[in-house]
Amino acid sequence: MDFEVRAVRADEWAAVKELRLEALRDEAAPIAFLETYEAAFGKPDSFWRDRAAGASHGTSARQFVAVADDGRWLGTVVALVEEAGTDDIFGWSIEERQAQIVGVYVRPEARGGRVTSELFSAACAWAYSLEGLGRVRLHFHQDNARAEGFYRKFGFVRTGRAVPKPDDPSEVEYEMVLDKV
């Protein structure tokens, strides 16, 4: 399967929305995302326009997509910059400038090949190109062994930190990091 990995464009908000809604309908969504389909579906088009525009350029967020030769989007990943001295989505203090990988989704027919690794390569390369940023991190649900397996293979390692899942404190999200080499 031939594809290219690139940053989203600001005018592609409808495709950003469509792929996100598809991801939230995936069978793994309850353990892969902190957002529900219903919550995302209810957001106005202006939200999706702003989201695509904000992730298309700049130095605070970047969304990458894998686009097949026929124009179909095969997958996506988002890198968000977290600044030292701020708090993350779990309320933990950020100690160093870093990127957080979120919104990872690859369509079922594109899983198991190069798509995910090339999306991650693009996101990490972008993050490491930013001044003063030497670490990329992510979180995965305790029951998402498939995701953890890929992250380990890519080079991420567990930090030993775990946080309760916001909507169910009996479940945890584990942190993994990849330091710039």
Side-chain angles (χ1 to χ4, degrees), residues 30-32 139-145 148 165 171-174:
I31 62 170
H139 291 87
F140 72 94
H141 186 276
Q142 67 188 30
D143 296 331
N144 201 343
E148 181 184 15
K165 189 174 176 198
E171 299 177 7
V172 297
E173 298 271 335
Y174 294 106

Side-chain angles (χ1 to χ4, degrees), residues 8 21 28 34 37 39 57 81 96 128 132 149 173:
V8 298
L21 292 176
L34 298 178
Y37 173 84
H57 64 284
V81 174
E96 65 182 277
Y128 293 142
E173 298 271 335

Side-chain angles (χ1 to χ4, degrees), residues 21-64:
L21 292 176
E22 179 181 321
L24 293 170
R25 287 188 302 261
D26 189 84
E27 65 183 19
I31 62 170
F33 303 108
L34 298 178
E35 181 179 38
T36 65
Y37 173 84
E38 294 76 18
F41 183 79
K43 293 178 178 170
D45 288 348
S46 60
F47 169 86
W48 299 103
R49 283 186 184 96
D50 290 347
R51 186 174 187 159
S56 67
H57 64 284
T59 58
S60 62
R62 188 66 51 96
Q63 181 175 2
F64 293 91

Side-chain angles (χ1 to χ4, degrees), residues 74-98:
L74 302 173
T76 186
V77 64
V78 178
L80 304 173
V81 174
E82 299 174 313
E83 298 294 344
T86 62
D87 289 341
D88 70 9
I89 61 169
F90 299 110
W92 289 18
S93 179
I94 303 297
E95 296 174 9
E96 65 182 277
R97 189 167 197 249
Q98 63 191 8

Side-chain angles (χ1 to χ4, degrees), residues 104-172:
V104 178
Y105 177 69
V106 174
R107 287 190 158 131
E109 67 271 18
R111 293 176 186 160
R114 301 179 353 257
V115 172
T116 310
S117 62
E118 291 195 27
L119 284 165
F120 266 71
S121 292
C124 289
W126 174 78
Y128 293 142
S129 76
L130 301 173
E131 186 176 338
L133 199 148
R135 170 178 138 136
V136 175
R137 72 178 186 145
L138 52 79
H139 291 87
F140 72 94
H141 186 276
Q142 67 188 30
D143 296 331
N144 201 343
R146 182 179 73 193
E148 181 184 15
F150 170 79
Y151 302 148
R152 283 186 187 281
K153 183 177 175 184
F154 194 82
F156 283 84
V157 294
R158 279 197 193 194
T159 65
R161 291 176 73 175
V163 294
K165 189 174 176 198
D167 64 341
D168 185 353
S170 70
E171 299 177 7
V172 297

